[in-house]
Amino acid sequence: MITFIISIIALVTGYAFYSKYLERVMNADPGRVTPATTMNDGIDYVPMPWWRVFLIQFLNIAGLGPIFGAIAGAMWGPVAFLWIVLGTIFAGGVHDYFSGMLSVRHDGKSITEIIGIYLGKQAKQVMRVFAIVLLILVGVVFISGPAGLLAGLTPTSLDFTFWVWVIFIYYILATLLPIDKIIGKIYPVFGFALLFMAISLITALIVKGYHIPELSADNFKNFHYNKENLPIFPMMFITIACGAISGFHATQSPLMARCLKNEKEGRKVFYGAMVTEGVVALVWAAISMSFFNGLKGLNDVMIAQNGNAAWVVNEVSYSLLGTFGAVLAILGVVAAPITSGDTAFRSARLTIADLLKTSQKPIKNRLIIVIPLFAIGFLLTRINFDVIWRYFAWANQTLAAVVLWTITVYLWQSKKKKYYLITLIPALFMTAVVTTYIMLAPEGFSLSRPVSYSIGLFFVILTLTLFLIYQKKSK
């Protein structure tokens, strides 16, 4: 319990102090006119109050990652708390704040365009395709997950396929219509459900006397009781994605960069939303470690359920809150992915529009992009959810690494060269994570640990060397 409380305090402290430091580095200027005003089109560029922008940003980024990812990540034990806290403060929050503010400074451009500005045209073209694939994977993951949860709440006639179609129809409307017509209006309802879920579950857990494991020196050994004996590094750092750092967030921040009325609001919206998501991840990690009588119990359950985190959500919710409370809690869990899936497809539309240089004001132009986009998405829902999730998780963290390198180059090019270590260190760490993972993971190359770790180290040295060469040439 002490570790959990300290973790919450650390996240709040990180927001209170470190985010203000980043704001000074960015030199946020409340007098500078934002794209929401200069490019107001009534569709995507729409000025909105900061609290509404924050709420949309939080719900955009808080998909299944801080819930399903935290549940799976908790299988490694209390060390998960450490990654959520340090990752959120020094990696995820930094990643989200700078990617959002760079979009504000560049007319609300999508993250692939920002990458192109600082890493070059070739990087932009590659990352355009990569980002679109990631966004489609996100959309598919965030259709299948909530559809399965809703099917468990409703009569058998309203099965998984029925809910897939319902969510698809909503996504199409949310992708096509102006951002303030649907997304801006229903998100407060979803926000209540999500906050109710997190607060009520952790409160019930504590009141009923469940023991939350503490972080200790012994907890750094591998507690993951599965047949594959997957190591903490890099597996946990991929599994707990959105609750610590997520490249998907960088695709969402430009949506809100087009709605901010003041640069000073960026800290509350971008860094603040990441910290709030970190809190949600901490809650679910704590619940998962405690509810099943310890870490071995959690691992046994997850193995028996073939990694089905949705089953864990249902079991925990009904046991702690009863039927009525559980329905509200599960609706909160459902709200999280749905409010990320709709904006994932919206971001994909805008990224493709940037690629084709097509105005999105005429609805005809939006339909030309949206129809094939959703056709591909629907076909992918036929694939096993776990397979899609694993590839999404790796692609997600790979984009995060590229965005961190982009911000590092921006800081070096700006008048604030001395601050580039803010993102260089997490960029190197995430480079090691994603390269080692794809070499080691069963869905990757399935190489041995020594070989995988060696390749990961090689890529860290390679990227650092390339950056040092760039530094020398640009002086």
Side-chain angles (χ1 to χ4, degrees):
M1 184 68 175
I2 294 174
T3 302
F4 176 74
I5 293 173
I6 291 174
S7 297
I8 296 289
I9 293 172
L11 286 180
V12 174
T13 303
Y15 172 75
F17 295 100
Y18 196 58
S19 67
K20 288 185 178 179
Y21 169 70
L22 299 178
E23 187 178 58
R24 290 195 297 272
V25 172
M26 192 69 200
N27 193 26
D29 181 3
R32 186 181 284 115
V33 183
T34 63
T37 299
T38 59
M39 304 179 69
N40 188 341
D41 63 0
I43 304 295
D44 298 307
Y45 292 84
V46 180
M48 289 192 287
W50 78 264
W51 62 268
R52 190 179 293 273
V53 180
F54 163 81
L55 190 57
I56 296 173
Q57 173 73 1
F58 170 54
L59 290 169
N60 284 353
I61 66 176
L64 290 174
I67 301 171
F68 283 20
I71 291 170
M75 294 168 74
W76 280 279
V79 69
F81 291 144
L82 194 62
W83 169 231
I84 291 170
V85 171
L86 296 180
T88 295
I89 295 172
F90 298 109
V94 175
H95 169 279
D96 288 13
Y97 177 72
F98 280 109
S99 62
M101 291 304 296
L102 283 175
S103 182
V104 172
R105 293 282 176 86
H106 291 87
D107 297 329
K109 283 184 168 59
S110 63
I111 192 58
T112 53
E113 304 303 302
I114 303 297
I115 290 171
I117 292 170
Y118 295 102
L119 297 187
K121 290 183 179 179
Q122 289 183 334
K124 177 172 70 174
Q125 299 303 338
V126 171
M127 294 314 298
R128 273 175 169 171
V129 176
F130 192 89
I132 291 168
V133 171
L134 172 62
L135 288 167
I136 293 173
L137 287 175
V138 170
V140 172
V141 164
F142 294 166
I143 290 171
S144 300
L149 287 168
L150 287 168
L153 290 176
T154 54
T156 53
S157 57
L158 305 179
D159 60 5
F160 174 82
T161 303
F162 169 80
W163 286 111
V164 165
W165 278 107
V166 170
I167 295 170
F168 246 114
I169 291 169
Y170 165 72
Y171 281 2
I172 291 171
L173 291 173
T175 303
L176 284 173
L177 294 175
I179 196 166
D180 59 335
K181 299 305 180 187
I182 291 185
I183 291 175
K185 284 186 168 57
I186 68 170
Y187 271 36
V189 178
F190 284 145
F192 167 77
L194 186 55
L195 291 174
F196 172 86
M197 172 270 294
I199 295 170
S200 60
L201 283 173
I202 194 64
T203 301
L205 187 83
I206 294 170
V207 169
K208 293 189 177 184
Y210 285 88
H211 172 69
I212 301 175
E214 305 292 352
L215 179 64
S216 67
D218 292 337
N219 289 334
F220 283 89
K221 64 183 180 181
N222 190 10
F223 274 102
H224 205 288
Y225 298 94
N226 62 19
K227 296 177 181 178
E228 297 166 326
N229 192 29
L230 300 174
I232 290 175
F233 184 89
M235 298 304 179
M236 188 188 71
F237 300 91
I238 292 289
T239 304
I240 303 178
C242 300
I245 180 173
S246 167
F248 170 65
H249 296 183
T251 67
Q252 301 304 289
S253 294
L255 296 180
M256 297 301 95
R258 303 175 186 200
C259 300
L260 285 180
K261 296 191 289 186
N262 184 327
E263 282 193 357
K264 282 284 189 178
E265 296 171 351
R267 181 177 74 90
K268 292 180 280 191
V269 169
F270 301 125
Y271 199 99
M274 181 65 244
V275 168
T276 308
E277 184 176 26
V279 172
V280 173
L282 281 175
V283 166
W284 275 103
I287 290 171
S288 304
M289 292 178 207
S290 312
F291 184 79
F292 297 100
N293 299 316
L295 300 176
K296 190 175 187 307
L298 171 63
N299 279 270
D300 289 343
V301 164
M302 288 292 281
I303 293 169
Q305 295 295 325
N306 294 315
N308 184 4
W311 182 90
V312 172
V313 170
N314 276 290
E315 186 70 14
V316 167
S317 298
Y318 279 102
S319 297
L320 293 180
L321 301 177
T323 302
F324 178 72
V327 170
L328 287 180
I330 292 169
L331 287 176
V333 176
V334 168
I338 286 180
T339 53
S340 295
D342 57 8
T343 49
F345 280 114
R346 191 179 188 93
S347 296
R349 170 176 67 79
L350 292 171
T351 302
I352 294 169
D354 285 341
L355 174 64
L356 301 176
K357 301 187 185 306
T358 304
S359 169
Q360 291 299 280
K361 194 161 187 177
I363 192 168
K364 178 187 71 173
N365 291 355
R366 282 175 264 159
L367 284 169
I368 290 172
I369 296 174
V370 162
I371 291 172
L373 195 63
F374 278 97
I376 294 170
F378 181 77
L379 290 174
L380 288 176
T381 60
R382 307 293 95 186
I383 298 175
N384 182 278
F385 176 83
D386 289 338
V387 173
I388 294 289
W389 177 267
R390 289 196 296 269
Y391 283 112
F392 148 71
W394 176 79
N396 186 44
Q397 299 300 66
T398 300
L399 179 58
V402 174
V403 172
L404 285 170
W405 280 112
T406 302
I407 301 167
T408 303
V409 171
Y410 157 75
L411 291 173
W412 178 256
Q413 286 183 359
S414 68
K415 296 178 182 179
K416 302 178 182 295
K417 291 185 178 181
K418 63 181 179 180
Y419 297 111
Y420 72 90
L421 289 175
I422 291 171
T423 49
L424 176 64
I425 294 172
L428 289 170
F429 180 76
M430 292 309 299
T431 299
V433 167
V434 298
T435 51
T436 305
Y437 179 89
I438 201 63
M439 296 299 158
L440 181 61
E443 61 272 14
F445 294 98
S446 296
L447 300 178
S448 67
R449 290 191 197 180
V451 173
S452 299
Y453 291 150
S454 297
I455 294 173
L457 179 60
F458 168 76
F459 271 92
V460 168
I461 295 171
L462 176 63
T463 51
L464 179 59
T465 302
L466 291 173
F467 179 71
L468 293 175
I469 292 172
Y470 162 76
Q471 275 186 314
K472 188 175 181 180
K473 288 184 178 180
S474 62
K475 280 185 178 179

